[in-house]
Amino acid sequence: MDSISTDHARLRAHALTALALLFVLSGCGGGYTSPSSSSSSGGSPVSAQVSGTSPLSATCGNTVPTGLTETFTLGSAIQPQVAAVPGGSVVGVWEQDRWTGIGARAILAAHSTDSGVTWSTPVVLPFSACGGGAGAGATYDRTSDPWITFAGGGV
């Protein structure tokens, strides 16, 4: 088999892994269950089920604008996106604690270096008030539409 065929076979295998993760995340209906101890360097490996109870503080990102009757679903994890690169690296992102109107309280991410067999502890990304960021949008209570992709060479 030439190197192009080998690369295509690897890419196909990683795409199937990413698709399987998408089904796992989209069918789970929950957020992430925080372990009793976590690592500040991106987390320790967890089982293939990446979701469970929300890791977000009950007081962040829960302000309802005047005149609206919206609520958020604590523990919901929706709109998962996954990307894989040859070599077994897979990254997933999703909305955490979705509002009934639009948006979620935060975007979470997790990664795997063994084609999805084990996953890092999910981390809250700094794109909303719950994410604790300081950049544009970090003061907003809601965030939406996560997306992840890799360029050629895994960048």
Side-chain angles (χ1 to χ4, degrees):
M1 201 188 280
D2 62 40
S3 66
I4 293 175
S5 296
T6 302
D7 288 344
H8 281 105
R10 285 186 192 136
L11 185 57
R12 183 178 303 126
H14 292 295
L16 290 173
T17 298
L19 184 58
L21 173 63
L22 179 63
F23 286 121
V24 167
L25 286 173
S26 64
C28 66
Y32 159 69
T33 300
S34 179
S36 57
S37 63
S38 62
S39 167
S40 61
S41 64
S44 57
V46 296
S47 67
Q49 181 176 344
V50 180
S51 63
T53 306
S54 176
L56 303 175
S57 163
T59 59
C60 77
N62 60 3
T63 304
V64 179
T66 304
L68 296 179
T69 58
E70 293 183 288
T71 61
F72 61 88
T73 305
L74 187 63
S76 62
I78 68 162
Q79 293 191 350
Q81 298 288 327
V82 294
V85 294
S89 293
V90 184
V91 176
V93 294
W94 61 93
E95 289 186 11
Q96 183 66 50
D97 299 347
R98 177 75 178 184
W99 281 88
T100 54
I102 189 168
R105 295 198 309 150
I107 302 294
L108 271 61
H111 71 277
S112 171
T113 57
D114 56 10
S115 299
V117 174
T118 60
W119 287 87
S120 68
T121 301
V123 294
V124 181
L125 300 180
F127 301 131
S128 67
C130 290
T139 59
Y140 293 108
D141 284 339
R142 299 181 192 194
T143 186
S144 187
D145 302 323
W147 193 266
I148 184 77
T149 189
F150 288 103
V155 176

